[in-house]
Amino acid sequence: AYGQTGSGKTHTMQGSNDPDSWGLIPRSLRKILRESESMRRDGWAWTLRASFLEVYNEQLRDLLYGEAGDPPKLTIMHDDAWGTVVNNVSTYEVTSMEQINLLMAKAAKQRAVGYTDMNAASSRSHSIFALYLTGVNEALGSELHGALHLVDLAGSERLPPPGGGGGG
């Protein structure tokens, strides 16, 4: 999501705890979980792994890191199987929306926020939710994998505030 500070990008991406008000991340993952479950009837077994990180002041931060001590250094690298990845980021296997909602809540607490002229609690970072999918169908001798990256960009301060005039 991209837009002006305070325009609702983070809410659009994450939503609220009420399933009727979920954002793009939980809605997308609910659909993927349902489809992976329905594909079991056809012999597919899926493994879903999630990570959540932010880019703040040109530094990568693992929003799901939960161990004592300093987190490992995160680096961007190329992986032959997955393309561009972040090395050393925490990933968690997810099998339910409850797990995903807990990970999103943990990540939300870790995000860098700060006061801006347009929003008192604006996210000051870009966040990237990544889901890595691996599907195996032994009867077909087939293995598939893919990645979904959902990105919430930090707000733009360059536009006039909504309803702030600026001509027409």
Side-chain angles (χ1 to χ4, degrees):
Y2 171 79
Q4 185 172 348
T5 295
S7 64
K9 295 176 303 300
T10 298
H11 182 74
T12 297
M13 295 302 290
Q14 297 181 10
S16 68
N17 291 332
D18 176 10
D20 289 335
S21 299
W22 279 354
L24 286 172
I25 294 172
R27 286 175 191 262
S28 299
L29 296 178
R30 176 176 58 190
K31 177 74 171 165
I32 290 168
L33 285 170
R34 285 179 178 168
E35 289 299 319
S36 68
E37 195 58 39
S38 74
M39 290 177 75
R40 286 189 191 282
R41 290 188 299 265
D42 297 325
W44 287 94
W46 289 92
T47 303
L48 309 176
R49 298 194 60 82
S51 68
F52 214 142
L53 59 92
E54 77 174 342
V55 181
Y56 178 67
N57 286 336
E58 300 183 21
Q59 298 293 316
L60 296 172
R61 290 185 56 224
D62 184 345
L63 295 176
L64 299 179
Y65 182 78
E67 299 174 23
D70 292 332
K73 181 173 174 49
L74 302 178
T75 56
I76 299 171
M77 59 176 275
H78 177 77
D79 181 89
D80 288 337
W82 296 104
T84 303
V85 298
V86 175
N87 202 22
N88 296 323
V89 70
S90 302
T91 61
Y92 293 89
E93 187 169 343
V94 291
T95 58
S96 70
M97 285 309 299
E98 292 76 20
Q99 289 174 308
I100 290 164
N101 289 334
L102 287 172
L103 292 177
M104 287 180 50
K106 181 177 182 176
K109 290 178 186 175
Q110 302 287 342
R111 269 196 89 182
V113 296
Y115 176 84
T116 71
D117 288 341
M118 294 184 188
N119 189 345
S122 175
S123 58
R124 304 308 309 143
S125 64
H126 310 299
S127 70
I128 303 154
F129 180 90
L131 184 70
Y132 299 96
L133 305 90
T134 303
V136 176
N137 188 316
E138 291 185 12
L140 297 176
S142 187
E143 181 174 330
L144 301 173
H145 69 271
L148 173 66
H149 295 92
L150 298 170
V151 180
D152 179 9
L153 297 173
S156 169
E157 298 284 318
R158 298 194 174 160
L159 300 171

